Amino acid sequence: MSTQRKPGVFFKTFGCRTNQFDTQVMMANLRDFAVVHDESEADFVVINSCTVTNAADSSARNYINQVKKKSDAKIVFAGCGAISKGKELFEQNRVFSVFGHSQKQNLNAILKQSSPTFDLGDLKQIDDTVVEDFIGKSRAFIKIQEGCDFECSYCIIPSVRGAARSHKPQTILRQIEKLARNGYGEFILTGTNVGSFGKDIDYPLSLLLQNISRIKGVKRVRLGSLEPSQIDDAFMELLDEPWMAKHLHIALQHTSDEMLRIMRRRNRFEKDLALFERIADRGYALGTDFIAGHPGESEKLWQEAMQNAQMLPLTHIHCFTYSKRDNTASAAMKEEVRGDVAKARRAELVELIKAKNYDFRKRCTTPLQVLVESEKEGIFTGYDQYFNPLKIRSNKDLKHCWIEVDDVQREKNANFKTL
Ligand code: SF4
């Protein structure tokens, strides 16, 4: 008896780790449809979009045009871009259906609709789907919170993700138990503003971390981006725990107080420096986010920012050049920085942090615990507890393996080992 083929759904995910988790939630809620990994087999293409910059909007629009050129698949538009651009795309018939974050668990029903649907839902909802597997990944991203209460002048996220709200601790723990039973050992806690977790439910992030560490099979816990103001003493007490990844990403966005004031950031340099030094003294690698070229960033403020960055014990950086985002306070600011100047500043800072990372790796004597994630032309790559890549030459298949190595070859861009 031939079983009828389920219509195929191809997922295209843009943006951050939180979006990657959201896509897994959508996949997990499909009943009458099958996930396909090739667009050409798709009856539906679900775009989980990002809208963090104008450029992100263009990427989604270009992708829609590509799909429309290649196939008759119905395009379903979701993610943060649904809130900011969904109406426009729907009214222009560029997409078949549009839905907001709060509707993603209803994807099966949405795809079963024969006529176009438009439903942005609300910005208060919290998912309770437990994802059983992370298709194609060796590490598991775990969304622990949604939304953000900060008001950074360049950022649209709070208006498309809503206010900060926490996922239920028991759902998070059940989620990790399931994935640990399915063989995952490393968990990356993610969200729009991870450090806001627990504030609305009186449940500290440090308590969640301790409870996660007690789950059988959990080897390492990493955290997505934290804000300096969110690191309290209870969190600091966990730093030496063996299951804590020895790398934290703490978003500064700039190192000049005047720029931080203009960007409506809550952090200030002197306190940031003291915090980073305290954590670096515990042997941690430290990463941050930085926006170069934000309006108001004069040459004088840039020089001050670079001097301050020199003092910080940084080892990793996500440095972006400012990209205007409509409907943000920064978009109305006059003193714009030329694109080539912003790019040059970004390059200068990235070079500085690359050198600091190399120094850190040269000083590092502890054995490296590495989860091997991928293989390309006989070279395996994984990340150690300091979130530094290790390139391994080996005849054995090391994918998804945990290995402990010391005595690695330290080169400018990465560490190397032959096994
Ligand atoms: S902390 Fe600032 S940059 Fe980050 S999501 Fe919130 S408003 Fe945006």
Side-chain angles (χ1 to χ4, degrees), residues 52 147-159 161 191-193 196 225 227 230 251 253 263-266 289 291:
V52 76
C148 179
D149 297 336
F150 283 48
E151 291 148 0
C152 307
S153 62
Y154 49 85
C155 185
I156 196 173
I157 303 297
S159 64
R161 287 256 179 202
T192 313
N193 189 325
S196 299
S225 191
E227 294 288 327
Q230 296 164 338
Q253 304 294 2
M263 295 159 85
R264 298 188 190 164
R265 293 283 300 165
R266 296 183 184 182
D289 292 333
I291 297 175

Side-chain angles (χ1 to χ4, degrees), residues 91-293:
E91 285 167 357
Q92 295 167 355
N93 287 321
R94 303 301 303 155
V95 294
F96 181 73
S97 287
V98 175
F99 65 89
H101 290 300
S102 62
Q103 303 308 309
K104 57 181 176 289
Q105 297 183 132
N106 307 331
L107 181 59
N108 198 73
I110 291 168
L111 296 184
K112 290 185 89 166
Q113 302 288 326
S114 53
S115 53
T117 58
F118 183 89
D119 183 355
L120 293 185
D122 65 52
L123 290 178
K124 296 191 174 60
Q125 183 259 5
I126 280 275
D127 312 331
D128 53 10
T129 297
V130 170
V131 173
E132 304 258 345
D133 198 357
F134 246 78
I135 299 168
K137 308 263 180 216
S138 41
R139 307 186 293 161
F141 296 124
I142 307 295
K143 189 172 164 184
I144 63 170
Q145 72 79 244
E146 176 66 282
C148 179
D149 297 336
F150 283 48
E151 291 148 0
C152 307
S153 62
Y154 49 85
C155 185
I156 196 173
I157 303 297
S159 64
V160 294
R161 287 256 179 202
R165 52 210 192 276
S166 305
H167 281 228
K168 293 195 193 87
Q170 58 272 34
T171 307
I172 298 168
L173 297 172
R174 204 154 28 91
Q175 170 73 77
I176 293 177
E177 275 157 15
K178 281 249 181 209
L179 289 165
R181 263 204 303 279
N182 292 348
Y184 289 87
E186 177 163 296
F187 297 91
I188 299 101
L189 306 188
T190 188
T192 313
N193 189 325
V194 174
S196 299
F197 171 84
K199 303 268 181 313
D200 53 329
I201 56 172
D202 192 22
Y203 189 107
L205 178 60
S206 52
L207 176 59
L208 180 71
L209 287 166
Q210 283 166 310
N211 288 335
I212 290 172
S213 72
R214 295 191 188 104
I215 296 172
K216 193 161 171 289
V218 171
K219 284 179 77 110
R220 187 153 69 193
V221 181
R222 283 187 195 283
L223 283 141
S225 191
L226 297 170
E227 294 288 327
S229 56
Q230 296 164 338
I231 298 180
D232 58 17
D233 292 344
F235 183 89
M236 292 293 287
E237 268 163 36
L238 298 177
L239 291 186
D240 300 331
E241 292 290 349
W243 43 268
M244 276 284 274
K246 298 296 175 280
H247 162 264
L248 286 175
H249 189 91
I250 305 170
L252 298 180
Q253 304 294 2
H254 215 285
T255 51
S256 147
D257 278 355
E258 178 55 16
M259 284 311 299
L260 290 169
R261 191 189 59 71
I262 291 170
M263 295 159 85
R264 298 188 190 164
R265 293 283 300 165
R266 296 183 184 182
N267 55 303
R268 292 292 179 269
F269 180 70
E270 204 178 323
K271 269 185 98 180
D272 294 342
L273 179 60
L275 174 69
F276 274 55
E277 286 175 342
R278 270 178 74 202
I279 300 174
D281 286 349
R282 311 280 284 274
Y284 268 65
L286 286 166
T288 196
D289 292 333
F290 193 107
I291 297 175

